C-alpha cells in the first residue's frame, strides 16, 4: 500500500463524516503484530481524552495539517505544548512512556502513530 495524497484524502473524508471527527487506519499486517502503527485523520473539534501509555513511548508524526500535542502532569495541569505544523517544518515528537497527553487540532490533519507492543485498549486509570 502506498501512502499518498489520495489515501490521506480518503481518510480525511471519513474523519469529516465521523461523529467523532476522526478516522484511523490500522497499518499492521495482522492484530498479533508486536507493534502498533496507524494513520489517524483528525478534524478540528475532535476530542481525544487526556491519556497515557504506561509501558511504551509513542512516536507521533504529522503528515499534513496543524495541531498541538499537549503534555500534562499527574494532576491534569498542562506542562508543555508542542506545535506541529508541516508548513513550518515541525513534524512530531517522541512521547515518553507514561506521559499524559492529548491533542488540539487547528486544521484537518493526519498523523502517523507508532507504539511498541501489541494493541491493548486503554485502561480506565490511563484516561483522565
Amino acid at each position: 500500500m502506498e501512502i499518498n495524497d489520495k489515501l490521506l484524502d480518503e481518510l480525511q473524508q471519513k474523519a469529516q463524516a465521523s461523529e467523532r471527527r476522526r478516522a484511523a487506519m490500522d497499518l499492521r499486517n495482522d492484530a498479533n503484530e508486536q507493534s502498533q502503527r496507524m494513520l489517524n485523520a483528525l478534524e478540528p473539534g475532535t476530542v481525544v481524552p487526556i491519556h497515557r501509555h504506561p509501558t511504551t513511548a509513542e512516536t507521533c508524526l504529522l503528515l499534513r495539517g496543524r495541531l498541538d500535542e499537549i503534555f500534562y502532569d499527574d494532576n491534569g495541569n498542562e506542562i508543555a505544548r508542542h506545535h506541529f505544523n508541516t508548513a513550518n517544518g515541525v513534524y512530531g515528537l517522541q512521547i515518553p512512556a507514561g506521559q499524559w497527553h492529548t491533542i488540539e487540532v487547528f486544521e484537518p490533519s493526519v498523523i502517523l502513530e507508532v507504539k511498541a507492543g501489541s494493541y491493548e485498549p486503554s485502561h480506565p486509570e490511563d484516561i483522565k
Side-chain angles (χ1 to χ4, degrees), residues 12-37:
Q12 281 193 282
Q13 288 172 358
K14 290 179 183 177
Q16 291 167 357
S18 166
E19 187 176 311
R20 294 175 52 199
R21 309 288 294 152
R22 62 182 189 262
M25 174 181 277
D26 191 347
L27 297 176
R28 298 172 300 162
N29 294 311
D30 68 61
N32 296 319
E33 283 191 18
Q34 291 300 302
S35 68
Q36 300 170 59
R37 301 180 309 276

Side-chain angles (χ1 to χ4, degrees), residues 8 11-12 15 21-24 39-43 109-111:
L8 299 185
L11 191 58
Q12 281 193 282
R21 309 288 294 152
R22 62 182 189 262
L39 295 174
N40 203 345
L42 307 153
E43 292 292 307
S109 301
V110 178
I111 58 175

Side-chain angles (χ1 to χ4, degrees), residues 4 10 17 23 27 33 36 43 45 47 50-51 54 59 62-63 74 113 116 120 123:
N4 55 30
E10 290 170 358
L27 297 176
E33 283 191 18
Q36 300 170 59
E43 292 292 307
V47 176
I50 298 170
H51 65 285
T59 303
L62 182 68
L63 301 179
D74 289 337
E113 297 179 41
E120 289 185 27
H123 300 284

Side-chain angles (χ1 to χ4, degrees), residues 12-107:
Q12 281 193 282
Q13 288 172 358
K14 290 179 183 177
Q16 291 167 357
S18 166
E19 187 176 311
R20 294 175 52 199
R21 309 288 294 152
R22 62 182 189 262
M25 174 181 277
D26 191 347
L27 297 176
R28 298 172 300 162
N29 294 311
D30 68 61
N32 296 319
E33 283 191 18
Q34 291 300 302
S35 68
Q36 300 170 59
R37 301 180 309 276
M38 67 184 240
L39 295 174
N40 203 345
L42 307 153
E43 292 292 307
T46 190
V47 176
V48 176
I50 298 170
H51 65 285
R52 65 182 175 184
H53 312 285
T55 61
T56 183
E58 177 179 6
T59 303
C60 182
L61 295 174
L62 182 68
L63 301 179
R64 63 163 58 159
R66 188 169 63 89
L67 59 82
D68 283 358
E69 184 77 43
I70 308 163
F71 287 1
Y72 297 86
D73 65 18
D74 289 337
N75 296 315
N77 300 306
E78 183 176 323
I79 58 171
R81 185 174 284 255
H82 305 274
H83 309 289
F84 298 1
N85 185 339
T86 57
N88 293 341
V90 180
Y91 302 103
L93 61 88
Q94 182 80 357
I95 301 166
Q99 176 63 62
W100 292 102
H101 64 282
T102 190
I103 56 169
E104 183 176 357
V105 180
F106 299 107
E107 64 185 52

